[in-house]
Amino acid sequence: MLGMSWTHAEVVDEVRSVVAEHMEAEADITEKSELVADLGIDSLGVMEVVADVEDRFEMTIEESELQDVATLGDVVAAIEIRLKADDKLKETASP
Amino acid sequence: MRTVVQALEDAAESAHTGFRFIEESKKSEPFFTYSGVERVTARYGGAMQAMGLKKGDRIALILPNNQDFVFAFLGALRAGIVPVPIYPPAGLRRLGGYLENTLHIVRKSGARVVLTDGSIRRLLGTVQSGAPDLQRIEAIEPMRNSREPLEPEKISLDDTCFLQFTSGSTSAPKGVIVSHGNIAANVRRFMEEGLEVEAGVDSGVSWLPLYHDMGLIGFMLGPLYHRNTITYLPPMLFLKRPVRWLETISRLRATISFGPNFAYALCVKRVRDADIEGLDLSTWRAAGCGAEPIRARDLRAFANRFAPAGFDHRAVLPCYGMAEATLAISFPRLGEGVRTDTVDAEGLAGELKANGAESGSGGAIEVVNCGKTFEDHDVAVFDPKDEASEYLLPDRVVGELRVRGPSVTSGYFDEPELTKKAFAGDWLRTGDVGYIVDGDIFICGRQKELIIVNGRNYYPQDLEWEASSIDGVRKGNVIAFGTRRPLDDRERVVVVFETSVTDRDARAAVKNEVRKAVRQATGLSIDDVVDLDAGVLPKTSSGKLRRNETRRLYETGELFKRTSARQGDAIGIAKEIVKSQIGYARDALFIKK
């Protein structure tokens, strides 16, 4: 995936698929889902999710950015900051 | 016997060994020889003196970056200033309990300065206004380029080296006074006797937080005395990618590395087969385990899993220690691996005796052997009621472990009452329940209320604070505690609260909210939430909640008799806990007698 560009929807889908792999129970996963409180992933599990997400997007999320990750949307936002900095985030037309 | 400062000055002759700092996002790995460390820390010490700090003044350190921490800590020591390490916040959204705790430590230690980084500094406003002795909160960044010269101070073995704050069982955190003499005594024992370290030759790798004694003394001060090279990884990097710990040991051919039990279990769970192929762990001769209850099963699983990478199962070293004894209390002999004692659960529960049992038979449990204590130190078992430590209990009788010797603290800073209570005669009460066989120490459980899950310490106060914020929960009528059954691989976390809500469904909703709030705030999943009618929780005559008593009532099931509607699973849990010999032993020892 090196050099690949992403749309917001693609980033969300990719993160959702990673998160789904780490969940034990069935639950709807949305951008507002809290990883710990809603999806039942424990704090070490969240670290695992982050490591997997980093591998998929080939990036490192800084510790300072990691501290406040609560929802799936927060993970997406942290990734998009990096993607944008590397000019790998596609602008999508607003609906 | 040398002070830490003398040890650093002596180590400065070493142009080959020192500290290496790995950062996740940086390719370079800055390495400072001890000669370099001596020069840099002089500047940090000088910068602190330029802030007006004098010998004996306290400086609180909230420094998440390893390099900052090492230099600031050692810099303070060289100026005779007493560092007070405080753990950094876990995130910006979980500040309530954190700030309360930090404010308590800053006030209690009388710190004149808090040294932190620029981003944390912005969060500490309430700490500044709540601590009368605190003059300023400084960011460390400018100190990195300081050119202030150090005015050397005369420092002796009796001087306080630093204050190690630990969470008390029923009280707020208290500061263990650790003197230079304590450090010199303990380092000598665990480095020379325990690890048989070859000065300047053995090398270590550590991801342990430096605000905790195992990282701070085990992997910074100990190695400094013996000029061994240590490589530091950020704790968060280990949690994210446990394999980096093992890769670093493999790549640098390190010989010594420690971790709590959960670190070994995490590696078994998370490191992939493909990663193991590239590892060579054959140089790792001391794989220490301590700081939380040790489970033989996890350590054996680790040894098996990494045997193909050359890991020698005999390198595993289950240790016992505590901040009040500086760090280490006992080590097994090197090269023996995990040794255990299989005892009869009934005997342990009924007679408080650790009678040998057939392994695998019903009611048999396995207790890890933590080895013997060091020369000029003593460990013995006493009846907790034996206030003067007059009657040593014989081998295999379960009681309170007590320790004495030059590693033991003189007490808690500015806490004469707590200090008095911590000793029975000239022995330090460890608060741990255990027994001894031919000098080998076996720990059955912890009396303390600290809830330890996955190597992180959770303070019941933090959980209670979060639960209290939920509508329907009676404010200030919440108690959290950890409890452990014999085969549980971790402490079970229980939150009990009072509510005035009567409708069953509404109560269930409140319980869900409590679960969610605690998880959200601390990342910790509660195993059992118990709702009680108003007025049911036990209180002291002054109206304070009694945490130990609540746990006892929970473990014996008595708590549930006080209410009507109760979930089936909760009763099941309570029944199993009643059967647990550890819970029973604790009751019998500390409450009923």
Side-chain angles (χ1 to χ4, degrees), chain A residues 34 36-38 40 42-44 47-48 50-52 54-55 60-63 66-68 70 74, chain B residues 24-25 89-94 234 236 239-241 262 266 269-270 272 454 458 516 519-520 523:
Chain A
E34 302 225 350
V36 173
D38 295 328
D42 70 13
S43 50
L44 286 174
M47 301 304 291
E48 220 170 319
V50 171
D52 284 0
E54 288 182 343
D55 291 345
T60 301
I61 300 175
E62 293 290 325
E63 191 173 325
L66 205 62
Q67 293 189 343
D68 273 317
D74 294 338
Chain B
E24 182 176 15
S25 52
L92 305 179
R93 290 177 192 163
R94 306 169 179 179
M236 286 283 270
L239 295 178
K240 196 152 81 174
R241 298 177 187 278
F262 95 91
L266 194 66
K269 183 173 169 231
R270 294 272 304 278
R272 302 174 190 130
N454 290 329
Y458 295 90
K516 195 169 163 178
R519 266 205 296 207
Q520 210 166 336

Side-chain angles (χ1 to χ4, degrees), chain B residues 410-477:
Chain B
S410 60
Y412 301 108
F413 186 77
D414 192 25
E415 297 278 14
E417 280 304 306
L418 292 176
T419 297
K420 214 175 138 201
K421 273 195 229 161
F423 290 88
D426 58 348
W427 295 76
L428 172 80
R429 296 169 173 269
T430 64
D432 289 314
V433 183
Y435 62 93
I436 292 177
V437 184
D438 293 334
D440 284 332
I441 296 167
F442 297 85
I443 318 288
C444 296
R446 299 166 82 85
Q447 190 206 353
K448 299 187 171 178
E449 291 186 348
L450 196 62
I451 303 171
I452 304 171
V453 179
N454 290 329
R456 280 202 65 135
N457 294 346
Y458 295 90
Y459 303 107
Q461 295 86 347
D462 285 358
L463 276 54
E464 291 161 8
W465 194 83
E466 292 300 332
S468 268
S469 68
I470 302 300
D471 283 344
V473 174
R474 298 186 68 225
K475 303 278 170 281
N477 288 285

Side-chain angles (χ1 to χ4, degrees), chain B residues 32-55:
Chain B
F32 295 80
T33 61
Y34 283 116
S35 154
V37 172
E38 192 275 331
R39 281 195 306 275
V40 177
T41 54
R43 294 196 283 105
Y44 278 70
M48 291 175 195
Q49 287 174 330
M51 290 175 186
L53 292 170
K54 304 253 180 299
K55 185 181 173 190

Side-chain angles (χ1 to χ4, degrees), chain B residues 72-87:
Chain B
F73 187 94
L74 293 175
L77 297 192
R78 301 193 67 190
I81 299 162
V82 177
V84 182
I86 299 179
Y87 64 98

Side-chain angles (χ1 to χ4, degrees), chain B residues 221-270:
Chain B
L221 301 182
L224 179 70
Y225 275 81
H226 292 80
R227 307 175 195 190
N228 300 101
T229 291
I230 299 295
T231 300
Y232 299 101
L233 299 162
M236 286 283 270
L237 177 56
F238 167 73
L239 295 178
K240 196 152 81 174
R241 298 177 187 278
V243 69
R244 290 289 299 271
W245 178 32
L246 307 180
E247 277 171 2
T248 308
I249 292 169
S250 171
R251 174 166 61 91
L252 298 171
R253 309 192 61 71
T255 55
I256 297 171
S257 196
F258 275 53
N261 191 82
F262 95 91
Y264 291 95
L266 194 66
C267 286
V268 171
K269 183 173 169 231
R270 294 272 304 278

Side-chain angles (χ1 to χ4, degrees), chain B residues 246 249-251 253-256 276 278-286 306-315:
Chain B
L246 307 180
I249 292 169
S250 171
R251 174 166 61 91
R253 309 192 61 71
T255 55
I256 297 171
I276 294 179
L279 293 175
D280 174 7
L281 300 176
S282 60
T283 56
W284 192 1
R285 66 175 185 84
F306 294 94
F311 182 78
D312 181 352
H313 68 93
R314 289 168 303 186

Side-chain angles (χ1 to χ4, degrees), chain B residues 19-335:
Chain B
F19 296 139
R20 179 183 290 107
F21 300 95
I22 292 180
E23 293 297 329
E24 182 176 15
S25 52
K26 291 193 191 118
K27 285 269 186 297
S28 66
E29 297 179 351
F31 179 74
F32 295 80
T33 61
Y34 283 116
S35 154
V37 172
E38 192 275 331
R39 281 195 306 275
V40 177
T41 54
R43 294 196 283 105
Y44 278 70
M48 291 175 195
Q49 287 174 330
M51 290 175 186
L53 292 170
K54 304 253 180 299
K55 185 181 173 190
D57 286 345
R58 272 80 61 205
I59 184 168
L61 305 180
I62 310 180
L63 297 167
N65 177 279
N66 284 331
Q67 194 174 316
D68 283 341
F69 187 96
V70 168
F71 292 159
F73 187 94
L74 293 175
L77 297 192
R78 301 193 67 190
I81 299 162
V82 177
V84 182
I86 299 179
Y87 64 98
L92 305 179
R93 290 177 192 163
R94 306 169 179 179
L95 283 176
Y98 176 78
L99 289 176
E100 217 172 286
N101 206 57
T102 301
L103 174 61
H104 171 83
I105 296 173
V106 170
R107 276 164 68 156
K108 198 73 214 179
S109 67
R112 290 178 59 198
V113 172
V114 171
L115 184 64
T116 184
D117 69 22
S119 59
I120 296 172
R121 185 174 177 231
R122 287 194 292 274
L123 310 173
L124 300 178
T126 56
V127 172
Q128 174 79 77
S129 55
D133 294 330
L134 180 63
Q135 288 161 354
R136 52 219 245 201
I137 301 180
E138 290 279 343
I140 187 141
E141 287 83 354
M143 201 178 275
R144 293 175 187 153
N145 303 311
S146 157
R147 289 275 173 269
E148 297 289 346
L150 174 76
E151 293 284 333
E153 277 288 346
K154 193 170 160 33
I155 293 152
S156 73
L157 288 166
D158 290 333
D159 286 329
T160 298
C161 178
F162 74 106
L163 300 182
Q164 174 84 61
F165 271 79
T166 65
S167 178
S169 51
T170 49
S171 59
K174 44 195 198 288
V176 178
I177 300 167
V178 184
S179 69
H180 284 273
N182 291 145
I183 303 264
N186 201 244
V187 161
R188 178 170 172 189
R189 292 304 164 208
F190 76 79
M191 291 292 276
E192 292 175 20
E193 218 176 294
L195 292 166
E196 297 176 18
V197 161
E198 196 174 341
V201 176
D202 273 299
S203 67
V205 169
S206 175
W207 58 266
L208 302 166
L210 290 169
Y211 51 81
H212 183 277
D213 52 13
M214 194 154 80
L216 176 61
I217 299 167
F219 284 84
M220 179 169 138
L221 301 182
L224 179 70
Y225 275 81
H226 292 80
R227 307 175 195 190
N228 300 101
T229 291
I230 299 295
T231 300
Y232 299 101
L233 299 162
M236 286 283 270
L237 177 56
F238 167 73
L239 295 178
K240 196 152 81 174
R241 298 177 187 278
V243 69
R244 290 289 299 271
W245 178 32
L246 307 180
E247 277 171 2
T248 308
I249 292 169
S250 171
R251 174 166 61 91
L252 298 171
R253 309 192 61 71
T255 55
I256 297 171
S257 196
F258 275 53
N261 191 82
F262 95 91
Y264 291 95
L266 194 66
C267 286
V268 171
K269 183 173 169 231
R270 294 272 304 278
V271 178
R272 302 174 190 130
D273 290 346
D275 291 325
I276 294 179
E277 279 171 31
L279 293 175
D280 174 7
L281 300 176
S282 60
T283 56
W284 192 1
R285 66 175 185 84
C289 185
E292 64 170 6
I294 301 170
R295 296 193 52 80
R297 193 178 59 187
D298 290 338
L299 297 181
R300 289 194 190 111
F302 180 90
N304 287 337
R305 180 97 172 96
F306 294 94
F311 182 78
D312 181 352
H313 68 93
R314 289 168 303 186
V316 177
L317 207 59
C319 307
Y320 175 52
M322 66 190 308
E324 285 84 347
T326 301
L327 173 63
I329 293 176
S330 75
F331 265 50
R333 270 205 303 278
L334 286 168

